[in-house]
Structure formats: C-alpha cells, structure tokens
Amino acid sequence: RKINKVADTISIDGVANEISWEKAKWYPMDQVWLGDSISNDDFSGRFKLSWDNDALYVLAEIKDDTLIDNTEDPLVKWWDDDCLEIFVDEDNSGGEHQYNHNAFAYHIALDGNVVDMSTEKVGKMYNTHVESKLVTEGNTSIWEVKLYLYEDTYDDNSDNNTPVKLSPNKKVGFAIAYCDNDYSLERENFIGSIPVEGEDKNRGWIDANIFGTLLLTE
C-alpha cells in the first residue's frame, strides 16, 4: 500500500477535517481473526493512513453498537475490552515479536491508554508512543491516532529511546484490528485488516510476518 505524506497539519482531535484525510483512501477492516462471522449491523470498520517526518497517522471509523470497558485497570485483560489495536514493524523485517520489540502491538483502550507486552513478558503502558482521540456519535466512533515508530533496539528500561524519523520510500510493516466486545466477559470478535492463512488467525501479537507493508510516498 502506498501511503501519501500529509498535505497539511493533522490535529489529533477526533475530527477528520484535514485535507490529508480527504485525500487519503479508505481501507477495510473486514477479516475475522477471532469469533463468528459478523453482520454490518453489529460491526463495520475502515481506516485511512498518512505520515510525516515524525509519525504515522491513522484514522479509523468503527461502527459498533456497544462499547465495553469492563476492566478499569489498563493492565488487566486489556484485550477483552473494546479497543483499537495497531500492529507496526518499523523496519518491515517481519518475524517473531511476542516478548521483544521487533514489532509492536499497541492496544489503544477507550480511555486512550496504550498497552503492549514488554520484554518482561507482562503488559506495559506505552502512552508516549501513541497520541489518540476517540469521538463517538451514536454507533460511530472515530479514532484519530498519531503513532511514533521505534527501532527493534527499543529498551523498556531506558529513558533515551528516540522515535525514528520517517522518509519517502521507507517500508513499514502494518496491520490494524478491532477487539469487539458487546456484553460478555471476554472479547467476542477480533476483526483485522489483513487476511491470515490457517486456523489460528490471532497471530499478529506474536508474528509480524502476517502484517501488510506500507510504502511511504511523497
């Protein structure tokens, strides 16, 4: 996928009124990674992408009749609440990333907290990596996200990690998904942007080989 550079400044306010978003193309989130097949009445999702030298920008439109956040503690069962999940592999190298930072799987909760697995094999907050705003009207939620990219040398125990600068012709591994929970204790569906082969489609948090590739263009 070729992703165009921003045409103006994108404000992370949940209002997609920028020229950059007008020009960007919608892509579907329609691949069921977990759960039963879904109807458009229960869920539909699509997204747009853009970039500048500092960050990758994501605009997601989710139509979901129920938003659930069962667990107040952001580090407890964060994958079972409604959340947007963005998978990013800064150098598009693919490979395993379950408990390392070869790639990241950012779970963005309804309250804006961002969680992924750390190298300590526990959930950790990565709020400095992601700036987001969620605006919901009726059953339509707009997520506007600014995502800073980090190299696989990222150190969970250091304060000196610096985001990568982005430039034309850079390739980035990317996928996006939505955890959908209507009324149960666990998520009922997981709907992604990328077709995944085989029985186990919930592999994005472990295997960056399933990601798609973004090509950053001017």
Side-chain angles (χ1 to χ4, degrees):
R1 285 182 179 150
K2 290 184 177 180
I3 306 303
N4 291 329
K5 195 172 185 181
V6 297
D8 51 1
T9 301
I10 293 178
S11 300
I12 305 302
D13 55 9
V15 181
N17 55 359
E18 289 87 357
I19 295 168
S20 300
W21 290 138
E22 282 181 30
K23 289 186 170 183
K25 179 182 175 184
W26 285 113
Y27 296 103
M29 292 164 62
D30 58 2
Q31 302 294 314
V32 178
W33 288 353
L34 271 180
D36 301 325
S37 60
I38 48 172
S39 69
N40 281 342
D41 293 342
D42 180 43
F43 174 90
S44 66
R46 58 182 186 165
F47 66 100
K48 291 181 174 188
L49 297 163
S50 192
W51 67 279
D52 64 17
N53 294 342
D54 295 322
L56 189 67
Y57 295 87
V58 183
L59 181 75
E61 180 191 83
I62 305 296
K63 294 190 176 179
D64 182 17
D65 50 4
T66 315
L67 295 179
I68 296 287
D69 189 353
N70 285 318
T71 311
E72 192 169 314
D73 187 334
L75 294 176
V76 174
K77 296 181 73 174
W78 59 89
W79 55 84
D80 282 331
D81 290 325
D82 273 86
C83 69
L84 190 69
E85 188 165 354
I86 297 177
F87 304 86
V88 64
D89 178 5
E90 177 270 327
D91 60 359
N92 197 40
S93 59
E96 186 270 328
H97 72 97
Q98 185 171 4
Y99 300 123
N100 62 67
H101 296 315
N102 178 41
F104 287 88
Y106 295 115
H107 300 72
I108 308 174
L110 300 178
D111 61 7
N113 281 313
V114 180
V115 178
D116 187 18
M117 280 289 180
S118 73
T119 51
E120 306 290 319
K121 302 186 179 181
V122 294
K124 179 178 169 65
M125 306 273 271
Y126 292 96
N127 288 6
T128 57
H129 293 210
V130 179
E131 186 182 340
S132 71
K133 179 70 176 178
L134 168 62
V135 174
T136 301
E137 291 184 12
N139 69 344
T140 301
S141 294
I142 298 293
W143 300 72
E144 197 167 20
V145 180
K146 182 177 185 178
L147 190 73
Y148 297 97
L149 273 56
Y150 289 88
E151 293 177 332
D152 53 15
T153 53
Y154 185 90
D155 183 353
D156 279 331
N157 300 309
S158 171
D159 295 327
N160 298 319
N161 298 293
T162 306
V164 172
K165 291 292 184 184
L166 306 186
S167 56
N169 300 316
K170 180 177 176 62
K171 290 181 177 179
V172 178
F174 181 87
I176 186 170
Y178 192 77
C179 297
D180 182 27
N181 186 349
D182 286 343
Y183 293 105
S184 58
L185 293 175
E186 298 178 343
R187 66 178 165 189
E188 293 158 20
N189 290 98
F190 193 33
I191 302 98
S193 60
I194 298 286
V196 181
E197 298 296 319
E199 288 291 307
D200 179 14
K201 300 184 187 306
N202 180 26
R203 300 207 310 275
W205 69 288
I206 296 172
D207 182 8
N209 289 330
I210 72 148
F211 300 179
T213 299
L214 308 181
L215 176 64
L216 306 185
T217 62
E218 287 279 17

